[in-house]
Amino acid sequence: MKKASILLILAFFGIALQGFSQAATPAASTSDVYTGKWEMLIIGTPNGDAALTTVLVRKEGKLTGTIIPKTSDQKEEIKISNIEEADGKITLYFTIQDYDVNVLLEKVDDENLKGSLMNMFDVKAKRVK
């Protein structure tokens, strides 16, 4: 009987501790900082500054999105193939003009992001209202 009581108490505390140790989900943290429409400016590329419109949405807890270049060469939407979220930063992976590129962005404030394209060119992003 004593062993059964001890096992019952241990099981109770195990269940109680499991309930307190739940980690925060990405959607509950700073996940909605990046969602929305953004005007991105890539500064100093060989062809001059490049402007892109980026739309990020959260589907089932994961960021997805598209990019629309503002150049005469390409007007069609580009699907973002992958978005990684870590340490208050996001990295967007996509293919543009037959090049696989990535853009690392971090929050400046609720309306602005900054970062780099391929760690070579500065990127600024401003939320479109």
Side-chain angles (χ1 to χ4, degrees):
M1 182 70 177
K2 189 175 183 179
K3 287 183 182 181
S5 297
I6 291 173
L7 286 175
L8 202 57
I9 291 171
L10 287 175
F12 173 78
F13 281 117
I15 292 169
L17 289 175
Q18 180 68 22
F20 289 118
S21 67
Q22 297 295 323
T25 61
S29 59
T30 59
S31 62
D32 292 327
V33 170
Y34 301 109
T35 59
K37 190 173 187 179
W38 297 89
E39 292 294 330
M40 277 195 326
L41 182 64
I42 303 168
I43 302 166
T45 70
N47 295 332
D49 295 348
L52 308 168
T53 301
T54 305
V55 179
L56 300 175
V57 295
R58 187 164 300 277
K59 292 182 182 176
E60 299 174 5
K62 186 172 180 170
L63 273 177
T64 61
T66 57
I67 294 175
I68 304 167
K70 291 186 171 185
T71 63
S72 59
D73 297 351
Q74 185 171 359
K75 292 286 186 184
E76 60 197 46
E77 282 188 356
I78 299 168
K79 184 176 187 259
I80 298 173
S81 59
N82 187 27
I83 300 177
E84 293 178 356
E85 295 180 80
D87 300 327
K89 299 177 183 180
I90 61 170
T91 305
L92 312 175
Y93 295 91
F94 57 96
T95 302
I96 188 166
Q97 296 179 350
D98 296 325
Y99 291 101
D100 293 330
V101 298
N102 66 64
V103 175
L104 174 66
L105 295 169
E106 61 184 76
K107 177 182 170 182
V108 173
D109 57 38
D110 288 341
E111 304 299 317
N112 296 286
L113 305 173
K114 70 175 182 174
S116 67
L117 172 77
M118 304 292 290
N119 291 322
M120 295 189 303
F121 305 105
D122 290 335
V123 177
K124 293 181 181 180
K126 185 168 180 75
R127 187 181 302 273
V128 176
K129 295 184 179 188

